[in-house]
Amino acid sequence: MELTKSQVLNMLAEDEKNPINRGWIAHGKCVGETAGVIAAAIGLDAEFAQILGMIHDIGKRNTKEVVFHDILGYEYLKSLGIDDRYAAVCLTHSYLNNDDTCVAGGYLPENAFRTEFIRNHTYTPYEEIINLCDLMCTAK
């Protein structure tokens, strides 16, 4: 299943009711807006980039435990029937160039699923944009 910008904004509006979510949601909106501008400037789909930016940290929803937020986000979106072309950004957003040891924000505990996914995944231009924007939008 694909996601629309409207669906994502509705999901975030619902999650925003819990104050614990406001930081990652504000950060995700910044990443989405910035990614959309970059995508449009290089001839890519700005709305798709915005969607990916808004959902990349969705694994942080309703928790302060963020160590496995990449996996939690991927699993959450997959449980909703969301396609991998969206859900994968939860896993790829902190790992550059298929390097599972190159993590923005520090080292994470070993996880076989994450390691296998990152090492074997072909990054899309959108995922590369999200990597960049995640580092640029520092307010979390």
Side-chain angles (χ1 to χ4, degrees):
M1 179 174 73
E2 294 190 2
L3 280 172
T4 66
K5 186 175 176 181
S6 176
Q7 288 171 315
V8 171
L9 289 171
N10 287 337
M11 288 169 61
L12 296 180
E14 187 61 33
D15 282 345
E16 216 163 14
K17 293 176 183 175
N18 183 344
I20 199 171
N21 293 325
R22 292 191 183 137
W24 71 262
I25 290 174
H27 167 70
K29 287 179 178 178
C30 176
V31 171
E33 290 171 20
T34 307
V37 170
I38 293 170
I42 61 173
L44 296 175
D45 183 340
E47 187 167 312
F48 182 61
Q50 289 174 331
I51 290 168
L52 294 182
M54 289 188 290
I55 64 170
H56 81 279
D57 272 343
I58 202 161
K60 294 180 179 179
R61 64 188 299 272
N62 301 324
T63 184
K64 287 189 180 224
E65 177 57 55
V66 298
V67 172
F68 291 105
H69 81 279
D70 54 344
I71 297 166
L72 293 173
Y74 178 83
E75 290 174 346
Y76 172 68
L77 292 175
K78 294 303 287 181
S79 77
L80 298 176
I82 305 301
D83 292 347
D84 247 12
R85 64 179 256 182
Y86 298 90
V89 76
C90 295
L91 291 167
T92 62
H93 74 272
S94 290
Y95 305 93
L96 307 175
N97 303 319
N98 299 92
D99 184 353
D100 63 295
T101 64
C102 181
V103 181
Y107 292 103
L108 296 177
E110 185 69 27
N111 178 278
F113 171 73
R114 176 196 296 131
T115 299
E116 182 76 14
F117 189 95
I118 296 303
R119 288 182 181 170
N120 296 305
H121 182 73
T122 301
Y123 282 63
T124 69
Y126 295 96
E127 291 167 333
E128 292 172 342
I129 291 169
I130 299 306
N131 282 345
L132 172 64
C133 295
D134 191 31
L135 296 171
M136 292 171 57
C137 296
T138 57
K140 293 184 183 188

